[in-house]
Amino acid sequence: MADVKSCSETAGKPIRCRAAISREAGEPLVIEEIMVAPPSPYEVRIRIICTSLCYSDITFWKLKGPPACFPRILGHEAVGVVESVGENVNEVAAGDVVIPTFLSECGECDDCRSKQSNLCSKFPFKVHPWMPRYETSRFTDLKGETLYHFLFVSSFSEYTVVDVSNVVKIDPSIPPNEACLFGCCVATGVGAACKTANVEAGSTVVIFGLGSIGLAVAKGAKLCGANRIIGVDVNPEKFEVAKKFGVTEFINSKDCGDKSLSQIIKEMTGGGADYCFECVGISSLVEEAFASCRKGWGKTVVLGVDKPGALLKLSSFEVLHSGKILTGCLYGGLKAKSDLPGLLKRYTDKELVVDEFVTHEVKFEDINKAFELLLGGKCIRCVIWMDK
């Protein structure tokens, strides 16, 4: 058993707690008591304060084939308090408030040392059922059955274990129900606009999909000084909400008539948008976004999570002759440990306001209500409190 540096009575011992387990694809989560093992070397055990539901959780909850696996503890957008740490952990200690992150930053590999990438090569991102360093689980149910991890976080549990490369210490004064959003939603959207795309002041931005990620992109584009922020969605009711996040114009993609979506956008923008962001996760929409950005300098950023195996169909001729850029973007292109503190400072300086994202809050035992709200399009982000 790992030596742990903590004065906690539970340090070095298994913890019995509640978790919301996904046992079958698409079926309601089941709240059960589980056992959470102590952290191994380079690992941190966290008591989750609150977590929020992201559509990526729903995507993999619904999925019946690989990389889905069951039983699994989902959740990847959370904030918590360090309960104990394993050997060789020096950057956080028991009592620290932290955000667990699904992207690792080891600080040692070529990618982590480079300013060009946020994709750690020592612990690469994958939809993985295990801890990143040892490829084993820290969760078992009371029958001794292994419960699988999700995105190196698994925050739908009162306690979780994460690798030290996936944890960021934060200011404990930040309200937990807003701090948790920086674990995915806010960092992904704002980072995509400010870092990956590096949106220029006075430019035109088109956002495909006005869910929470799309709205976070709008926040980022507004921070960068974009002149026009055009939202595209199938639900016209989202426009009024999106205005609060910086969206200036709206296109209902169901009302394009005999024109393609890209034709309408090119007409509205005089030849195409400077930046397009696909925030839904549909390959055909990525193609429309690419077609909608301006020749010569247009940039399309893909943030949406599509189903495994989905392929893009692009004209090689157009790619060569249009001079446009198409790029993917995980976690907004941000390095968790290096860049998240700067983004949080913009929040604490009140330059970045995020309270509008939290439209609903529920108790942990009502976690399935959060799924119903998001699936029904009735919320932006629903925060789930472990104990409130």
Side-chain angles (χ1 to χ4, degrees):
M1 186 177 291
D3 230 359
V4 288
K5 300 173 226 166
S6 170
C7 58
S8 167
E9 293 180 1
T10 52
K13 305 172 185 175
I15 288 178
R16 182 167 172 165
C17 69
R18 296 182 302 163
I21 302 170
S22 178
R23 289 200 169 272
E24 292 183 52
E27 293 297 316
L29 304 191
V30 181
I31 294 184
E32 301 178 18
E33 289 199 330
I34 67 165
M35 301 304 296
V36 181
S40 294
Y42 300 100
E43 292 180 353
V44 180
R45 188 161 60 184
I46 301 168
R47 176 178 62 82
I48 298 295
I49 299 171
C50 63
T51 181
S52 49
L53 179 64
C54 173
Y55 212 92
S56 295
D57 296 308
I58 287 181
T59 297
F60 288 99
W61 166 71
K62 285 180 175 180
L63 197 63
K64 294 182 179 179
C69 58
F70 303 94
R72 184 174 232 164
I73 299 175
L74 297 168
H76 64 282
E77 191 174 86
V79 66
V81 178
V82 175
E83 173 270 337
S84 63
V85 301
E87 292 176 347
N88 306 316
V89 174
N90 300 304
E91 61 186 84
V92 295
D96 286 344
V97 178
V98 296
I99 293 175
T101 61
F102 62 87
L103 269 194
S104 307
E105 186 181 349
C106 73
E108 301 169 354
C109 69
D110 288 344
D111 291 280
C112 285
R113 290 200 301 264
S114 169
K115 293 181 180 180
Q116 304 302 316
S117 172
N118 69 336
L119 302 177
C120 177
S121 50
K122 186 175 181 180
F123 304 115
F125 172 80
K126 46 190 170 181
V127 185
H128 197 49
W130 311 115
M131 295 292 294
R133 198 176 295 258
Y134 303 107
E135 302 211 342
T136 52
S137 175
R138 300 293 169 267
F139 302 122
T140 53
D141 65 15
L142 296 188
K143 295 178 182 178
E145 180 183 9
T146 296
L147 303 172
Y148 297 115
H149 290 252
F150 180 63
L151 298 185
F152 304 146
V153 176
S154 290
S155 58
F156 293 169
S157 173
E158 291 177 319
Y159 286 83
T160 190
V161 179
V162 302
D163 194 272
V164 69
S165 62
N166 295 81
V167 67
V168 179
K169 182 180 177 180
I170 67 164
D171 182 346
S173 68
I174 299 175
N177 61 342
E178 296 182 11
C180 66
L181 304 177
F182 289 83
C184 180
C185 168
V186 171
T188 297
V190 175
C194 296
K195 185 166 186 179
T196 299
N198 193 20
V199 169
E200 293 184 353
S203 59
T204 297
V205 169
V206 178
I207 302 168
F208 295 77
L210 294 177
S212 57
I213 299 296
L215 295 175
V217 171
K219 280 272 185 185
K222 187 176 180 181
L223 280 175
C224 293
N227 183 44
R228 298 175 70 187
I229 303 175
I230 303 168
V232 179
D233 206 284
V234 295
N235 182 357
E237 294 178 5
K238 289 187 177 182
F239 183 36
E240 286 305 313
V241 174
K243 286 179 183 177
K244 300 175 185 177
F245 293 80
V247 174
T248 58
E249 299 158 70
F250 180 78
I251 301 172
N252 184 341
S253 54
K254 284 186 174 180
D255 294 340
C256 293
D258 58 356
K259 295 181 180 179
S260 68
L261 186 53
S262 58
Q263 282 180 296
I264 290 173
I265 291 170
K266 285 179 179 177
E267 290 173 4
M268 286 179 67
T269 58
D274 301 305
Y275 307 93
C276 290
F277 297 85
E278 198 281 342
C279 305
V280 179
I282 300 174
S283 57
S284 60
L285 202 55
V286 174
E287 293 159 13
E288 278 294 309
F290 186 69
S292 300
C293 66
R294 189 174 185 87
K295 71 178 188 308
W297 67 73
K299 182 180 286 188
T300 297
V301 182
V302 180
L303 294 87
V305 179
D306 206 340
K307 60 183 180 295
L311 298 176
L312 292 175
K313 296 177 182 177
L314 297 174
S315 161
S316 178
F317 181 89
E318 183 186 3
V319 171
L320 174 63
H321 289 263
S322 68
K324 300 189 285 189
I325 294 171
L326 174 64
T327 184
C329 172
L330 282 174
Y331 202 57
L334 303 179
K335 294 178 184 287
K337 294 177 186 291
S338 302
D339 296 330
L340 194 53
L343 190 61
L344 285 164
K345 187 176 187 305
R346 299 184 83 169
Y347 164 81
T348 55
D349 288 346
K350 303 193 184 306
E351 183 185 356
L352 173 61
V353 179
V354 303
D355 61 327
E356 308 104 317
F357 286 95
V358 182
T359 55
H360 296 77
E361 301 185 52
V362 299
K363 297 177 181 178
F364 185 46
E365 50 266 34
D366 297 322
I367 190 170
N368 287 305
K369 178 67 175 175
F371 278 69
E372 293 171 12
L373 288 166
L374 192 55
L375 283 166
K378 297 177 181 177
C379 76
I380 299 174
R381 269 298 192 260
C382 182
V383 172
I384 301 147
W385 290 91
M386 292 299 169
D387 183 18
K388 186 180 182 183

